[in-house]
Structures are given as C-alpha cells and as structure tokens.
Amino acid sequence: MERAEAEVEMAGNGDAVHTPHSAPPTAPSARVSIWESVRACGVWGRDVDKAELRRRVVMPLYARRAVAAAVAEKDEAAGVAAAAAARDEAVGGAEEEDGLEVVTPMVVFVNSKSGGRHGPELKVRLHELISKEQVFDLSVVKPSDFVRYGLGCLERLADQGDNCAKDIRANLRIMVAGGDGTVGWVLGCLQELNKSKREPVPPTGIIPLGTGNDLARSFGWGGSFPFGWRSAVKRYLNKAVSASVVHLDSWQAVIRMPEGEITELPHALKKAEPADQLEFSKASGSELTEKASCYKGVFYNYLSIGMDAQVAYGFHHLRDEKPYLAQGPVANKLIYAGYSCTQGWFCTPCTASPQLRGLRNILRLYIKRANCSEWEQIQMPSR
C-alpha cells in the first residue's frame, strides 16, 4: 500500500497580533479557573456600571449602522449610504445620536456552538449591554467580511473627512466569545490587515466559551465560562477596555499533500497561492506536481498533527451532527475522553493501518527560524 506523504513548513511571522492582557505571563492554575467560576456566582461584575460601560464602548448610531450594513451587504458603499441615512434621521429628530464621546469602541464576535452553547443567550445579553449592531454571530457573519467591509467602511468614511470614524477605527477593540479555534479564526482574519498595510490591528480579548480555552487561560481571561455569567459579561467587557496590550506570536503553516483535495476546509486553512507553493518546493527540494494540493493557515499556541488533531476533528463533526450531545463543558470533556480511547493511544484502530502508525512515516517537517533565510528539516522521533 502506498503511503500518502504530507509536508509542512512553518514560518514565524514578524507582525505580532495584539491581545489585551491583565495577568502575569504565567498561566493561571486550574484551581484559579474554578475559583473564578464560583466567585462569579455572587456579585462579581455587578460593580461595573452599565451606563458608564455603554458610554465607553458603544459607537455613535450612524457609525454602527454603517458597519453593520457594510458587513451585511458585503459592500463598503452600502455602509457609507447607511451612515448618511442615519445622520439624516438624527437631524430630523427621529433617532437620538448616542455614544458621541465613545472612548473605546468595541465589536464582539460570538460563536454559538462553542462550549456549553451559551452563545444565543450571551448574544442577547450583549445586545442589552452594548448594541445589536456591534455584536456579530459567527454562524452568520465571517470575521473576514468584517475586516474587509466593516473596517473598510470606517476607513472610507475617515478618508472623506469623518474624524469620528477615524477615531473609531484607530481605537477599536474586539472581543471573541468562543474557544481557541474561534479566537484563532478571528486573529487569522485580522492578520490580513498587516499584509495589506491597513494598520492598526485591533487588540483582541476573549470570553472563554470553549472546552479547553488554553489561549484564554494563558492571557488571563480565565479557563472556563463562569456560572454567574450574566454579571460576569460586564466584567469581561470592562476588562477589555482597560487591559494593557501585549504581543502574541503567530506562525504561518503551509501544508502540501501529494494528491487529493480537502472537501471541507477548516476556518484555519485556505488554498495556498502559487508563490507559497513555489517557496515550499524550494524549501523541501521537491518539484511541484499537478496532483499536489497546497494549503496555508495561521496558528498560535500550537499546531496539532496526528492523533490529538484526529480527536479534535472527530469531536467537531460529532458536535455538528448531534449537537444535543455537546451541551456543556463536562459533556464535551467526556466526549473528548471517549474519542481519545478510540482514536488515541488506547484501543486505537490506527495500529491496523500502516499509513497511520507513525508520523515519521508520513510527514516531513521544515521550519524557518527567526532572522534566518534557510529552511531546516526537523527529524521526527520514532515514537
């Protein structure tokens, strides 16, 4: 049986992604996460004044309508037209123009499928705290559309002399309510701003809705969604306004497979450009073939290839096919444990297939170190 061989190249990205941070660099322990969840059941977060929070994060009416329209229509011009219409309504007295002294405008992305599926309720709560136009459901709106059309609309308004839109674009911060995969998806889309010279890149905070929440835990946002989440949401938003900004390393991975296409690409991957494929071939010393498939993506804390990735992949599909099974973090962890026994090290069917027996038989790994132009092949250990 022929073995399909995959090649992976990884390059550290010089452009950093920003994340609000209000905790030491060391990750909090699991006991801290549990304590924060218990603490949230009380008055935690109730000391944040709702009116003051709105004053700080809500955009003016015309601006938030412009962004929402541009994203919905996938057209910057539609956003500009919506802004003009909202201004006319305000002048006519039909609508009150609020949020003119916005300090730190904020946009929130919510993944309703993450973790215990608190997304729908959380979205309603966010509508109460800020505004409906500044909350985007990721099952409806892709973050790439927001980056291209929403931010593009603000930039176009700023070019037309709108100083308020210019300030919003410069001071905008983003919150992501989801797991590590959701946060990585949003950060990967925001990184396009660096490539197209559309700085600044909005700092990104996290409301941990996922099962593992490793990235959120590492940056002090907590390892789990609090039990008393309704009052805690205000604290998350307030923390995003006042937290300092630190840099997060990002890596670009290019994966080439000898043949075949991925029918359903994950959000983290997209089809590689010809230039990426050419550079990959030079790095690995192999020639491009018409049957080769090449993909690229951005990752942060870690990149998983192998049994752990297979477990995560299986859980993702089970959650989509049978959402009633994944109703909370505890249920999700039990499902992960079950997949680990069948797809991981114990009772694994992988041992029956020579293709899946060892990564070193099917994978070649190359990395480019910082300040180095040469690609280096990494030897895969026998285990």
Side-chain angles (χ1 to χ4, degrees), residues 167-180:
D167 290 340
I168 291 173
R169 175 64 182 89
N171 299 314
L172 184 68
R173 291 197 171 189
I174 291 176
M175 287 292 287
V176 181
D180 288 346

Side-chain angles (χ1 to χ4, degrees), residues 14 27-28 58 74 80 93 112 119 132 137 179 183 211 219 243 248 252 339 349:
V58 176
K74 297 185 179 181
V80 174
S112 55
K132 184 176 181 179
D137 189 334
V183 179
T211 302
F219 280 87
L248 169 65
Q252 178 173 276
Y339 267 105

Side-chain angles (χ1 to χ4, degrees), residues 15-38:
D15 297 321
V17 178
H18 304 83
T19 304
H21 186 291
S22 59
T26 55
S29 66
R31 286 181 297 176
V32 172
S33 299
I34 295 174
W35 165 242
E36 286 187 351
S37 294
V38 174

Side-chain angles (χ1 to χ4, degrees), residues 200-254:
V201 177
T204 303
I206 306 171
I207 299 177
L209 286 186
T211 302
N213 302 308
D214 294 329
L215 192 59
R217 185 182 295 107
S218 299
F219 280 87
W221 295 99
S224 61
F225 197 51
F227 300 129
W229 61 270
R230 290 188 62 83
S231 59
V233 169
K234 287 193 295 183
R235 180 183 178 275
Y236 280 117
L237 298 179
N238 189 64
K239 181 178 179 180
V241 170
S242 57
S244 59
V245 177
V246 297
H247 292 267
L248 169 65
D249 289 335
S250 61
W251 289 73
Q252 178 173 276
V254 179

